[in-house]
Structures are given as structure tokens and as C-alpha cells.
Amino acid sequence: MKILKSNTFKLFLGLSISALFLYLAIRQVDFDKMLTSFRGVNYWILILAVLAQFISHWIRAVRWRILLKSIKLVPVSSLFSATMIGYMGNTVLPAHLGEIFRANVIGNRENISTSSILATLAIERILDVLAILVILVFAMIVYPFPQTVTIGGYIMFGFVVGLFVFLILLKNQDDRTLTLLRFFLKVLPKVAAQKIEDFLISFIDGINGLERKRDYIFIFLHSILIWFGYLLTLHFVFYAFDLFNIYNLSAVSSLVLLVTTTFSIVVPAGPGYVGTYHITCQRTLNLFGVPLPVGLSFAVVAHIVSLLPAALLGFVFAWREGISRLKTQNE
């Protein structure tokens, strides 16, 4: 009952946040200009955007295979289908519950413990945050962000690098690092401290297979390729709207937009990041001189390109897997 109430509250809060930001995005928009913008889109180019998105998802599955190989060598095709199911879940459910679906699919199919799989997904999130912060630092070099954003970006980058170093130490000297960690965790309630320790132990189990230096190199290269694919997706949407020519934009604009929209999905909004994504995309483009109606049109199309094809394919895979079974296990 408590879990149900908690999920209901999260859903209500997320939908409220989405509604608020969606209202802020549309309140000053001329819908006639927005429709005119839609009519001028070259929708054939969006096929390339979708293709770039799917290539990134496939590379993500390949990277996941490297992270999982210490537990079991899983076919990339199986990991790709689970990843698509995860995206489908994140599109229609709040609180990133799609990740639970993703873990359940592989756990049941390959007979792997869910906790071990969730540990590899936690590593994925750390790698993604590190990658986007590297992109943020590069974006701050080529684009004059406000000083507060610049300082905040460097602080976040330093924090994630420090976390990454700590996790490497945890892997190489787990006993000493855990002893030190337990000393600092004494200030927390026992339940919270135990959960943190259990997670870190699962993390160690999840990366024990990364013994060779080339594993780290492969993971780094795959992370770069994943985010390059996301950047390319946005770049193709820019071409579809012809923003580069009409508003004399450079490639930097798509780089900055990738950074800002990525951080927008961290906000606990409703399913599919509706509202938060749209206003962030709209206002970022406005910084480059793109009118608000055109920016919102772009946001709608970019959002659909990023989520709908993956969600539809994920639904097909989930149907084959058995949606009712996934739902029961998640509950």
C-alpha cells in the first residue's frame, strides 16, 4: 500500500511539473506560426535522425554487453531488445521504471540476478553523466554560457570525476575502500548506510570483469559514439527545419542543445519528459535567435523522433516478451 501511494504521488507530482512547464512553453506562442513551421519541415531528413538514434541504441547494447560479460556473455540482439523495452517503459511510466523492465527482461531470459544487472545499469548512468559533462565542458569552451552555468558545470564535472575515481579505487582496493566508507557512513541511519554499502558491493560485482585496459578503452569509445549519435540526431532535425540557413546557426547550437535538453530530463517530470524537454529546447533555441513558435515546433518534432520510434519498437519486443509478466515482476 505504501509503495502504491508513493508511486501515485510521484506520478501526480511528475504530471503537475510537466503541465506547468508545458503551459510556460505555449503561453506566448502564436499557433499559426507554429503550424507554418511544421509545414516547412523536410520530413524525409527525419528518417536519418531516427536511424542515428537507433544506431546509438545499438551501440549502447554493445557497451552493456561489455559491462555484463563478467557475469554472462549475452548476445547484443538480446540486450538491444531489452534496451528498447526500457525506453518504452520510460516513455509511458514515471520515475524511470523502464529500467526495472529492462533488468527483468535480461534477468529472466539469461537467468541473471536482477541486482547484478541493476549494478551494470548504475555504471551506465555514471558513464552517461561523465560523457555529457565532458560535452558540457567542451560546449562551455566554444559557447559563452553565463558565469553561473560555467561554474556549476565545472563543479559537477569535478564531482563526477571524483566519483569515478572513487569507484575505480573501490574496484581495485575494495576492502580498504569499504572500510573507509563504513567510517563515513556511521553518520547515516543504519538502513540507509546498509543500502549504500549493498549497492557498492553490487557495483564491484558488476565491474569485476573489466580486468583488461582495453575494456575501459572500449567502454570510453562506445560512450563517445553513443552521444555522438544523439548529437547527430539533433543535427538532422536542425537540417529538417533548415535552421542552419534560415537563422545562420553553426554546429555549436546543436551541441549546446544536446547538453541543455539532456539535463532537462533529470527534472522529475511526467512520463516521456513532456514539458521540461519542450521548454528547455524552445528556450535554448531562442538564445540563438530562433522564435518561440519555431522553437516549440522543433521541440515537438525532436521529442517525437527521440522517443516514439524507440517506444514503438520497445512495445513490439515487450509484446513478444509478455507485458503482463513484466508488469507482475515489477510489482
Side-chain angles (χ1 to χ4, degrees), residues 56-69 76 79 102 120-121 123-129 131 210 215 218-224 226-227 230:
S56 292
H57 296 331
W58 183 268
I59 297 172
R60 181 175 291 277
V62 174
R63 186 183 67 176
W64 192 15
R65 186 173 189 262
I66 299 173
L67 294 172
L68 274 171
K69 74 174 186 176
V76 176
L79 296 173
R102 184 179 169 193
T120 63
L121 297 185
I123 299 169
E124 271 200 356
R125 290 294 164 262
I126 294 171
L127 290 170
D128 286 337
V129 171
L210 304 180
D215 288 332
F218 286 160
I219 285 175
F220 173 76
L221 291 176
H222 282 87
S223 299
I224 295 298
I226 288 168
W227 285 94
Y230 295 155

Side-chain angles (χ1 to χ4, degrees), residues 111-178:
N111 195 25
I112 303 173
S113 69
T114 302
S115 60
S116 297
I117 298 172
L118 288 175
T120 63
L121 297 185
I123 299 169
E124 271 200 356
R125 290 294 164 262
I126 294 171
L127 290 170
D128 286 337
V129 171
L130 184 60
I132 195 61
L133 286 176
V134 170
I135 295 172
L136 173 61
V137 170
F138 179 74
M140 289 189 299
I141 294 173
V142 298
Y143 181 76
F145 282 99
Q147 188 176 12
T148 52
V149 176
T150 302
I151 294 173
Y154 284 126
I155 291 173
M156 291 177 63
F157 181 74
F159 173 77
V160 173
V161 169
L163 176 62
F164 193 74
V165 170
F166 169 75
L167 293 174
I168 295 299
L169 290 174
L170 187 62
K171 175 185 183 298
N172 295 327
Q173 302 183 37
D174 52 318
D175 291 335
R176 293 181 182 180
T177 311
L178 279 174

